[in-house]
Amino acid sequence: MRNSMAELARITVEPREPLAAEVSRRLIDYLMSGEVQPGDRIPSERQLTEMLGVNRPTVREAIKSLGFLGLLEIRQSSGTYFRGADSDVLYRLFELGLVLGEQGARDMVRARAELEVVVAGLAAQARDEAGIDLLSARLAAMRECPDEEFPEADTAFHAALGELAGNTVLRDMLKGMRAMIQRGWVQRTGAVRPRAVAYADHVPIFEAVAKGDAETARAAMAQHMEGASRRLMEALEQRDT
């Protein structure tokens, strides 16, 4: 078995979260280190207890949680094995905050904001008639849809920008980030901007993309994301207090 034990060092500082969650996070870091391959057996409960300096029930709870999520396979009388991490498993881990943690959540918000700015510029450069028509329709949906459908309409506008930009990697990265932020934090914190403000932010983005003005499109998106990110950051801070 390929071991990278740095992530399994003894827990010496009292964590801000439940101890089992901290153990789960340490195990995830260990499994995602790149030195543990699907099918590898991880250290036993007794070994993990000694390495992490926690009691056995805590380790058992963490292992059971990761088994439930599909990251570990528990074989009676044989041990616990790393099953690998497909996209569904990673999404569940991100959504639960087990991978990102508090700082990681903030880093994702910042990273998403930066990538949205890049995509807006690319969309302006790569615009075509069909893409502009789609973006116009998504903006109209934001203006006309019922309040309860506005978050989805907002997301659809950004998704259309991703399609128009023509970069599948950025498109898919942002799709995952938006889903994790929306489902993982926005729905729990209520960090949603007032509808009128959110809609108004998107109008100059659309206009700049339609004109092919990449610089203005990036600036308009940066302004939009600054407000949206600040509101989400404030909600995360309130949640953590």
Side-chain angles (χ1 to χ4, degrees):
M1 181 175 62
R2 306 168 184 84
N3 287 338
S4 176
M5 296 302 180
E7 294 84 358
L8 299 180
R10 181 174 292 268
I11 299 173
T12 58
V13 178
E14 183 176 352
R16 295 180 58 184
E17 57 193 343
L19 188 55
E22 174 64 21
V23 172
S24 295
R25 194 186 307 285
R26 294 290 191 93
L27 285 172
I28 290 168
D29 288 344
Y30 163 67
L31 295 170
M32 300 299 180
S33 67
E35 298 184 23
V36 185
Q37 302 300 311
D40 282 350
R41 182 165 59 86
I42 72 169
S44 67
E45 286 184 6
R46 179 184 60 79
Q47 291 172 316
L48 291 171
T49 296
E50 294 174 354
M51 283 187 272
L52 294 168
V54 299
N55 58 49
R56 198 157 182 170
T58 297
V59 170
R60 186 175 296 119
E61 180 182 350
I63 289 175
K64 287 177 64 176
S65 296
L66 298 187
F68 177 77
L69 290 170
L71 199 61
L72 294 175
E73 179 183 358
I74 304 169
R75 303 177 190 172
Q76 296 298 326
S77 304
S78 175
T80 303
Y81 296 79
F82 179 41
R83 296 183 61 183
D86 59 25
S87 58
D88 288 339
V89 170
L90 287 174
Y91 175 80
R92 290 194 293 272
L93 292 173
F94 277 125
E95 186 175 44
L96 292 172
L98 289 175
V99 172
L100 291 176
E102 296 174 9
Q103 184 58 47
R106 288 162 176 75
D107 288 345
M108 174 170 282
V109 171
R110 296 187 186 97
R112 183 254 172 134
E114 295 294 334
L115 290 181
E116 293 280 12
V117 171
V118 172
V119 164
L122 292 175
Q125 293 172 350
R127 80 197 191 290
D128 56 23
E129 185 174 349
I132 294 172
D133 287 345
L134 174 61
L135 203 59
S136 177
R138 296 288 171 82
L139 186 66
M142 291 179 65
R143 183 179 64 249
E144 300 166 2
C145 71
D147 288 346
E148 62 271 16
E149 296 178 9
F150 185 80
E152 292 184 6
D154 187 337
T155 298
F157 178 91
H158 286 269
L161 278 176
E163 293 292 343
L164 188 53
N167 187 306
T168 58
V169 173
L170 287 173
R171 179 199 65 194
D172 292 344
M173 287 175 64
L174 277 170
K175 181 180 179 181
M177 287 181 176
R178 292 187 201 109
M180 285 183 272
I181 289 172
Q182 177 67 28
R183 298 182 186 182
W185 298 299
V186 171
Q187 290 180 1
R188 293 204 294 266
T189 64
V192 179
R193 304 188 79 193
R195 175 172 180 166
V197 174
Y199 172 77
D201 278 1
H202 289 74
V203 173
I205 298 170
F206 167 75
E207 292 176 345
V209 171
K211 294 176 181 177
D213 187 340
E215 183 177 354
T216 300
R218 287 191 291 266
M221 179 63 79
Q223 182 174 351
H224 166 54
M225 294 308 303
E226 189 279 330
S229 298
R230 182 180 65 250
R231 188 176 181 88
L232 183 54
M233 293 287 195
E234 291 171 352
L236 288 169
E237 289 172 0
Q238 292 173 4
R239 185 197 68 177
D240 294 337
T241 57

